[in-house]
Amino acid sequence: MSTLKTAGAAAVAFAIGAGAAQAEILVAHVYGKTGALEAYAEQSHIGLMLGLEYATGGTMEIDGEPITVIEKDTQLDPATGRAVLAEAYGDDGAQIAVGPVSSGVALAMLPVAEEYERVLIVEPAVADSITGEAWNRYVFRTGRNSSQDAISNAVALGGEGVTIATLAQDYAFGRDGVAAFREALEGTGATVAHEEYVPTDTTDFTAAAERIFNAMEGVEGEKKLFIIWAGGGNPMGKINAMDPSRFGIEIATGGNILAALTAYKELPGLEGATYYYYEIPQNDVNTWLVEQHLERYDSPPDFFTAGGMAAGIAVVEAIRAAGGAEDTEALIESMEGMEWETPKGTMRFRPEDHQALQAMYHFRTEIQDGKDYGVPVLVRELGIDDMDIPIRN
């Protein structure tokens, strides 16, 4: 991350030195730098900086105006998120903000964007309500939403005679995710037998698992436990250790960051849908991202790196199309319906709710030599036109 910051700062310093009267584009990254989702946050910031670099050809300028990125830490606290976003818009003069990591924090931040009449690009917070009932016209989202997760996983897991229980965290991300998943299963022939919600910091899943097993007892046919989880403490390994197969239950889940995929190694053949895995998309942007990330960090780009890069490219493309960053109305007009290329291929901001429509990937876990995690291998790409994502605002 430091390499990118240094490169960005150098570009800005050069531009300022070249002409003091030169305008400056201020982008605020408002995200949970500290807290339980710190790993997600770091990836998101690396991706954002890489996206700005890629889209500007390494200059960190748009039409001669240098880009400065201001970092604000929400500490995963909604009140703090509101305050630092207001500070970014009001005191620092940021024309566009990107973030945050947490859906709960994002929901608190949305009214601030409306109050200051500035664009907020939500990345990577997922809850449907962000581009649903809590949405306002200044909010755009490059990250996927709960419905995109849900519909892609329903395609991967649903089927006639399939019975599913869900386990999720008891906050906006988990509850919106389960609600969208239940809705998406309608018409697939699958049914949801039980919903289990636990606090985000749960470490002992014994009682929750027993309630799930009891709810599935006596159910005929194919049975699956679908887990929706963010951050540390993923329960998949612990529940797998309780041998749900003795009840005829298979564990299923969506994709995750590389560190979390180590638990998938215990479950070869596990199926689900994922937002990103670096070997799946085949396009020029992803090729550049993978090559640069391997060279700079000696590791492949991860789940939220791709999302951050998509947001960074969107910022540049929107400002170019609007003829600058100062006119919010021009930015909104340029972004509604905008298509741009990302590590996942083409994304499109839907005019009605500003949700980025994008591909998702049905995967099956494989064990591969040289990798200490379960590898999500592509079964089928679900393109923009393969998923009917509800408009909820």
Side-chain angles (χ1 to χ4, degrees), residues 14 33 66 83 105 126 131 202 212 265 278 297-298 344 350:
F14 172 81
K33 293 175 65 176
V105 176
V126 175
T131 43
T202 300
I212 291 166
K265 195 167 186 177
Y278 74 97
Y297 301 98
D298 197 28
K344 298 181 60 185
R350 184 164 57 184

Side-chain angles (χ1 to χ4, degrees), residues 48-346:
L48 174 65
M49 300 304 292
L50 282 170
L52 295 171
E53 178 183 338
Y54 178 85
T56 61
T59 65
M60 293 295 283
E61 293 183 355
I62 303 173
D63 297 331
E65 295 183 3
I67 302 168
T68 295
V69 176
I70 306 162
E71 295 184 52
K72 301 286 185 180
D73 187 3
T74 70
Q75 301 174 50
L76 297 185
D77 176 64
T80 302
R82 275 196 307 270
V84 295
L85 181 60
E87 181 180 86
Y89 288 143
D91 297 342
D92 301 319
Q95 295 106 335
I96 293 180
V98 178
V101 180
S102 161
S103 291
V105 176
L107 290 168
M109 287 167 51
L110 304 186
V112 179
E114 186 171 35
E115 178 187 349
Y116 282 86
E117 299 183 345
R118 302 281 175 87
V119 168
L120 170 63
I121 297 178
V122 175
E123 173 66 45
V126 175
D128 266 350
S129 45
I130 293 166
T131 43
E133 66 221 29
W135 175 86
N136 63 69
R137 63 190 297 270
Y138 301 95
V139 176
F140 289 77
R141 174 158 49 189
T142 51
R144 89 281 188 198
N145 66 12
S146 291
S147 288
Q148 287 166 318
D149 271 351
I151 290 170
S152 56
N153 276 289
V155 170
L157 303 176
E160 201 64 45
V162 176
T163 303
I164 300 176
T166 63
L167 172 64
Q169 290 155 307
D170 192 8
Y171 78 117
F173 166 72
R175 288 194 172 270
D176 278 16
V178 170
F181 181 64
R182 178 188 279 277
E183 180 182 325
L185 283 175
E186 294 175 4
T188 68
T191 57
V192 176
H194 181 75
E195 297 177 15
E196 188 72 30
Y197 299 96
V198 296
T200 58
D201 58 355
T202 300
T203 56
D204 184 353
F205 297 94
T206 306
E210 287 177 352
R211 287 192 291 270
I212 291 166
F213 298 159
N214 289 337
M216 301 286 267
E217 188 176 0
V219 173
E220 299 294 327
E222 194 173 351
K223 295 184 281 190
K224 296 179 180 180
L225 167 58
F226 181 56
I227 298 172
I228 299 177
W229 200 265
N234 193 308
M236 191 163 63
K238 292 181 179 180
I239 292 179
N240 188 49
M242 297 172 69
D243 192 17
S245 62
R246 62 197 163 103
F247 302 100
I249 299 171
E250 296 178 11
I251 293 177
T253 192
N256 213 316
I257 63 173
L258 293 173
L261 294 184
T262 54
Y264 293 41
K265 195 167 186 177
E266 302 172 17
L267 298 159
L270 175 147
E271 291 193 40
T274 191
Y275 167 80
Y276 179 80
Y277 174 67
Y278 74 97
E279 292 183 322
I280 291 179
Q282 302 297 314
N283 60 69
D284 291 343
V285 183
N286 193 53
T287 297
W288 185 90
L289 170 60
V290 173
E291 288 176 352
Q292 292 297 316
H293 206 280
L294 285 168
E295 179 181 325
R296 301 180 195 199
Y297 301 98
D298 197 28
S299 65
D302 214 334
F303 209 81
F304 297 104
T305 321
M309 186 172 183
I313 298 172
V315 166
V316 175
E317 294 298 328
I319 292 172
R320 278 201 185 119
E326 291 292 340
D327 187 340
T328 299
E329 291 302 317
L331 282 172
I332 292 172
E333 184 177 349
S334 72
M335 294 172 77
E336 289 185 338
M338 183 179 87
E339 291 190 353
W340 75 105
E341 297 306 310
T342 79
K344 298 181 60 185
T346 303

